[in-house]
Amino acid sequence: DAKTTQPPSMDCAEGRAANLPCNHSTISGNEYVYWYRQIHSQGPQYIIHGLKNNETNEMASLIITEDRKSSTLILPHATLRDTAVYYCIVSYQAGTALIFGKGTTLSVSS
Amino acid sequence: EAEVAQSPRYKITEKSQAVAFWCDPISGHATLYWYRQILGQGPELLVQFQDESVVDDSQLPKDRFSAERLKGVDSTLKIQPAELGDSAMYLCASSFQLGATGELFFGEGSRLTVL
């Protein structure tokens, strides 16, 4: 079973920041938080991952709370192409199979 | 940019027929995964390979599903006989190796419809 809890859906206006929350209250000390997204009819795409510190790349920022029980994925300026299902996954390390939940469907509108 | 290749992209078959899916991972990726995704749900792991060895096939319905990766490169997932409930997207993914942090690379998937 997935170790994370995400809202089933969220809406965001184009150009605004999209903040997607994820709860992972049972995360263990050496488990990473991964975020993937899946645009309709495509395979999932890696976005970002982190262990303890906040992370940023060209796609998004990942904010992990100090107790590591929750995190937020931030898309700073959402576009229509960011409409997708976003999956938050907790896993020990790459090479370990990722267990997907149902994710959050993000709808970006103009 | 290197990609995970999958074929066929779409497959329609009748129940009780055999069907096979092929996956070619990114060159040099030792770990390969097959996932199944039913419409409206997240991907579900079926089998994981490390080189040519199966690491985890606990969720693979072994009475009708089989998977192989004979030379540790490309892989085939077979269903025989197909059932109506097998209609889904079959996704292949690869990663560099166990123990490395980073990402799984997914293919575009093979969509199966069983009539």
Side-chain angles (χ1 to χ4, degrees):
Chain A
D1 290 339
K3 300 179 182 180
T4 62
T5 303
Q6 299 178 253
S9 64
M10 294 184 64
D11 295 320
C12 181
E14 190 177 22
R16 304 298 294 269
N19 298 285
L20 290 87
C22 179
N23 286 321
H24 32 79
S25 58
T26 62
I27 192 170
S28 62
N30 53 354
E31 285 187 303
Y32 290 79
V33 179
Y34 290 86
W35 283 85
Y36 281 73
R37 74 178 182 185
Q38 187 172 25
I39 296 170
H40 183 62
S41 295
Q42 297 182 18
Q45 174 193 23
Y46 166 84
I47 301 173
I48 198 167
H49 76 285
L51 183 61
K52 296 180 180 179
N53 300 321
N54 299 337
E55 303 287 344
T56 296
N57 62 21
E58 65 279 3
M59 291 182 66
S61 295
L62 173 60
I63 307 299
I64 303 174
T65 59
E66 192 169 345
D67 63 6
R68 303 208 325 123
K69 293 184 177 182
S70 66
S71 61
T72 301
L73 179 75
I74 300 172
L75 308 178
H77 304 288
T79 70
L80 298 178
R81 289 176 292 181
D82 292 321
T83 293
V85 179
Y86 287 77
Y87 298 99
C88 170
I89 303 164
V90 165
S91 183
Y92 282 101
Q93 58 195 6
T96 302
L98 300 179
I99 307 300
F100 288 79
K102 293 186 177 181
T104 295
T105 299
L106 175 68
S107 299
V108 181
S109 57
S110 57
Chain B
E1 184 175 308
E3 295 182 344
V4 175
Q6 289 190 249
S7 66
R9 187 80 171 89
Y10 301 94
K11 178 70 176 180
I12 300 174
T13 191
E14 294 185 346
K15 64 179 182 179
S16 79
Q17 296 298 305
V19 62
F21 304 109
W22 176 79
C23 172
D24 190 11
I26 293 172
S27 178
H29 280 196
T31 310
L32 184 146
Y33 313 80
W34 283 101
Y35 283 84
R36 174 174 61 184
Q37 186 172 27
I38 296 170
L39 193 63
Q41 300 183 17
E44 169 197 19
L45 178 70
L46 291 175
V47 62
Q48 177 184 354
F49 289 92
Q50 178 67 19
D51 299 311
E52 66 277 8
S53 300
V54 174
V55 174
D56 182 0
D57 64 355
S58 58
Q59 300 303 311
L60 189 70
K62 299 181 185 65
D63 57 335
R64 297 184 301 107
F65 285 65
S66 64
E68 61 183 14
R69 193 184 183 199
L70 292 176
K71 297 182 179 180
V73 181
D74 59 339
S75 175
T76 301
L77 177 70
K78 296 179 181 178
I79 308 174
Q80 183 173 16
E83 296 181 353
L84 296 178
D86 296 331
S87 294
M89 176 77 83
Y90 291 83
L91 293 160
C92 179
S94 69
S95 64
F96 182 57
Q97 64 181 23
L98 283 170
T101 57
E103 62 193 277
L104 265 60
F105 295 83
F106 283 83
E108 295 264 314
S110 296
R111 181 166 295 282
L112 173 66
T113 301
V114 182
L115 303 176

